[in-house]
Each structure stands twice: as structure tokens, then as C-alpha cells.
């Protein structure tokens, strides 16, 4: 069986979060989406579950943190080119995200930028030159 990863993120505004994640390259999986959750797939094996705070609270007794205030994790996704990194960031900004909450890195063989989603979660998009890694 192929392993899959699902990130479960609590969101304040489900529609705004859904629009953002669709803009940065995700696709909606209606089979697991509702008025309390959006299932966003980035590949056959990488998904993000956006859950309203009320729905998310059904899965944990812990208080929901504020990613706008505290760093909780950095999530990274690869792209096929440097231009695609920049394009994803631009699309995310147009959908309510904030570009470059962390400085961009250009190491020649690797280029990355970050974007903050409407709830404050930080995503890194990066390109690596495969030939430089060998």
C-alpha cells in the first residue's frame, strides 16, 4: 500500500482557507469535504484537511494554537522550477496569503520561498536542481 500523508489544519474561515489552498495548486476532493471540512489534495499521496475549529476540536482535547503568533511547523512542497516557486507564491498572495514571512533562499542548486496562509500556517515552496544533488 502506498503511504499517504494528511495534514489536519484548524482554520478560522473554511471558505477563505479553501480558496487559498486551491490557488496554490491543491484540488478539492469532494468525497471528504463538507461544510466543516475541505479535503485538498496536492498529489495522490499528499493531502491537507482544512477543519473548522469546532470540527478540529472533536479530534483533540488540546487548545488550538495561533500560528500567527507562534511557529508550530514549517511545511515544504517541491516544485518543478524556480519560476513555479514564484508563481505559486503570487497565486497564494492573490488568494489572501502573505508572501515571504521568512527570507527567500537562493543557493544556486536550490531556491525556496515561503507563504503564510490566511490562518498563519507557513508553507515553503522549493525547487532543487536534481543534477546538483548527485
Amino acid at each position: 500500500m502506498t503511504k499517504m500523508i494528511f495534514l489536519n489544519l484548524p482554520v478560522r474561515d473554511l471558505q477563505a482557507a479553501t480558496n487559498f489552498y486551491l490557488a496554490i495548486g491543491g484540488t478539492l476532493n469532494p468525497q471528504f469535504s463538507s461544510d466543516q471540512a475541505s479535503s485538498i489534495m496536492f498529489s495522490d499521496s499528499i493531502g491537507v484537511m482544512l477543519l473548522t475549529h469546532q470540527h478540529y476540536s472533536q479530534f483533540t482535547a488540546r487548545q488550538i494554537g495561533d500560528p500567527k503568533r507562534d511557529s508550530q511547523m514549517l511545511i515544504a512542497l517541491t516544485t518543478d522550477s524556480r519560476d513555479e516557486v514564484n508563481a505559486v507564491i503570487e497565486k497564494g498572495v492573490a488568494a489572501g496569503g502573505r508572501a515571504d514571512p521568512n527570507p527567500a533562499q537562493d543557493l544556486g542548486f536550490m531556491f525556496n520561498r515561503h507563504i503564510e496562509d490566511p490562518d498563519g500556517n507557513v508553507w515553503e515552496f522549493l525547487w532543487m536542481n536534481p543534477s546538483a544533488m548527485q
Side-chain angles (χ1 to χ4, degrees):
M1 178 177 177
T2 300
K3 300 243 186 265
M4 298 179 72
I5 184 168
F6 288 95
L7 302 171
N8 294 283
L9 297 176
V11 299
R12 291 177 186 90
D13 181 332
L14 182 59
Q15 190 59 58
T18 300
N19 292 342
F20 172 83
Y21 284 93
L22 293 175
I24 63 170
T27 57
L28 183 70
N29 179 349
Q31 183 179 6
F32 297 107
S33 299
S34 68
D35 61 345
Q36 295 208 26
S38 289
S39 174
I40 306 292
M41 299 304 296
F42 283 96
S43 74
D44 290 341
S45 59
I46 302 170
V48 177
M49 290 298 298
L50 306 173
L51 307 169
T52 63
H53 280 216
Q54 178 184 4
H55 192 53
Y56 186 91
S57 294
Q58 294 175 17
F59 302 104
T60 182
R62 292 182 177 193
Q63 178 179 339
I64 295 173
D66 184 355
K68 286 189 179 276
R69 186 187 67 227
D70 304 311
S71 180
Q72 298 175 325
M73 71 177 126
L74 296 172
I75 308 158
L77 287 175
T78 59
T79 65
D80 292 331
S81 70
R82 299 167 64 91
D83 289 341
E84 188 178 348
V85 169
N86 291 321
V88 168
I89 300 300
E90 290 172 16
K91 290 175 185 175
V93 168
R98 185 172 72 93
D100 305 313
N102 299 322
Q105 283 188 309
D106 189 346
L107 304 175
F109 68 93
M110 184 177 85
F111 174 69
N112 69 0
R113 291 182 65 193
H114 300 86
I115 188 160
E116 184 178 293
D117 76 6
D119 286 278
N121 297 295
V122 177
W123 286 75
E124 174 184 6
F125 285 88
L126 66 113
W127 165 83
M128 292 184 284
N129 180 346
S131 62
M133 296 176 59
Q134 296 175 357

